Amino acid sequence: NGFTAFVNDLCGILILLGIALAAIQRFIIKPPHVVSETKDNLALLLIGLLVLIGFLAEGVRILMTQLPLEVGLYSFIGYPISRLLSLTGIHWTTVVYPYLWWTHAVLGAVFVAYLPFGKMRHMFNTPLTLLLNYKMK
């Protein structure tokens, strides 16, 4: 679906932009109110790898299905990657794609399992606290 492909690629680019800005703030600017801990860096690494492997898997999938240009262009990151991959002599579809897919899936599962232990747990804690406080009134 063109809309889904476009939104997925756009969100992936925005996530990578956010990771780059967070890394610049943590490692270059280093304001005193930003405390960079190992688990924060792990979260940035997990999210970044998840998106990058996702783009690569999408490119291989597009290459594998031989999407025509008018359909593939909705995936404005995946389609160019598929064209670059087609220039190599590697059999992406039979040899590499299953490993890419599983790597992407495992990284996603590891990230979800990591969420309650990192600083991003506030994504769950805050709405739950608000809901519980609302129910108590």
Side-chain angles (χ1 to χ4, degrees):
N1 184 332
F3 177 76
T4 304
F6 179 79
V7 170
N8 285 346
D9 281 12
L10 179 63
C11 288
I13 289 295
L14 292 175
I15 290 168
L16 290 178
L17 178 64
I19 289 171
L21 292 174
I24 289 169
Q25 184 179 34
R26 292 186 184 287
F27 302 118
I28 297 172
I29 298 172
K30 298 180 184 178
H33 68 278
V34 175
V35 178
S36 183
E37 299 175 355
T38 303
K39 58 183 169 180
D40 301 332
N41 301 334
L42 178 63
L44 291 178
L45 179 68
L46 279 174
I47 296 170
L49 284 174
L50 185 63
V51 172
L52 291 174
I53 297 293
F55 279 148
L56 190 57
E58 178 185 22
V60 173
R61 183 190 56 80
I62 290 171
L63 179 64
M64 188 168 58
T65 57
Q66 295 297 311
L67 282 178
L69 177 65
E70 60 273 3
V71 177
L73 273 182
Y74 288 105
S75 177
F76 60 92
I77 300 295
Y79 190 78
I81 288 174
S82 74
R83 297 298 92 212
L84 287 172
L85 295 177
S86 70
L87 299 175
T88 67
I90 300 171
H91 297 287
W92 292 97
T93 58
T94 56
V95 177
V96 180
Y97 183 71
Y99 294 104
L100 282 174
W101 191 92
W102 277 104
T103 302
H104 183 66
V106 168
L107 280 172
V110 167
F111 177 67
V112 169
Y114 164 80
L115 282 175
F117 302 102
K119 286 184 180 176
M120 288 189 278
R121 68 180 169 267
H122 70 274
M123 294 186 321
F124 303 106
N125 291 354
T126 302
L128 184 60
T129 302
L130 291 172
L131 180 67
L132 290 174
N133 284 340
Y134 178 75
K135 294 287 184 181
M136 297 286 184
K137 290 181 182 182

